[in-house]
Amino acid sequence: MTIFARRARASAGRMHPELSLVSYTLLGHLEERGGCRATDLAAHYALDKSTVSRQVGTLERAGLIERRVDPEDHRVQVLHLTEAGEEILAQVTRSRRAAFRERLADWPADDLVRFAAYLERYNAGPAGADTE
């Protein structure tokens, strides 16, 4: 698992030099949710608020996310992808998918089916098990 995580971090840098694996993950979460608060990101990924704050600041300065006032509660700011954030996320996602297709191209169909089933099983594990 450590090698898998190292490869994921390294590949994120190759896909887009300004986008770390953490940044890519946060952008993906914002896209999935249609925006959310920084505290929601911290809670979802079991990260310290200061860690998320630094990441959010970096993404804001890069013009990839923006803060918007929540229409239901004007005291709350919700993070959303900017157009540039959407474009970079799409570009990195395409690159990652192409890299996965290339890496798995020689695998027999039966192996791919088993691998996909194992990934689904792993991802369906108990909540909180992915915090290490």
Side-chain angles (χ1 to χ4, degrees):
M1 291 306 292
T2 301
I3 292 169
F4 183 79
R6 280 187 197 137
R7 282 186 177 160
R9 281 191 297 275
S11 71
R14 286 191 305 272
M15 299 299 165
H16 194 284
E18 297 172 24
L19 205 58
S20 70
L21 180 60
V22 172
S23 296
Y24 174 77
T25 302
L26 296 180
L27 290 175
H29 187 80
L30 290 174
E31 180 185 52
E32 276 179 25
R33 301 279 187 223
C36 71
R37 300 174 304 162
T39 54
D40 297 331
L41 287 172
H44 180 78
Y45 290 106
L47 295 170
D48 185 78
K49 289 178 188 177
S50 64
T51 301
V52 171
S53 180
R54 282 191 301 276
Q55 291 290 329
V56 165
T58 300
L59 292 170
E60 277 184 299
R61 284 188 297 282
L64 303 180
I65 64 172
E66 64 187 1
R67 295 176 192 263
R68 298 182 197 158
V69 174
D70 186 333
E72 296 177 19
D73 185 348
H74 295 290
R75 299 169 295 168
V76 175
Q77 292 188 338
V78 179
L79 304 170
H80 290 274
L81 294 178
T82 62
E83 189 174 315
E86 290 173 358
E87 288 173 14
I88 284 181
L89 183 62
Q91 174 190 4
V92 172
T93 298
R94 283 191 302 272
S95 295
R96 289 181 67 115
R97 286 182 180 160
F100 284 132
R101 278 193 296 274
E102 183 180 323
R103 187 167 186 104
L104 300 173
D106 295 341
W107 286 33
D110 289 347
D111 287 353
L112 290 171
V113 168
R114 278 192 297 277
F115 184 57
Y118 292 144
L119 286 174
E120 286 178 16
R121 183 175 164 192
Y122 178 81
N123 287 332
D130 56 354
T131 59
E132 289 187 28

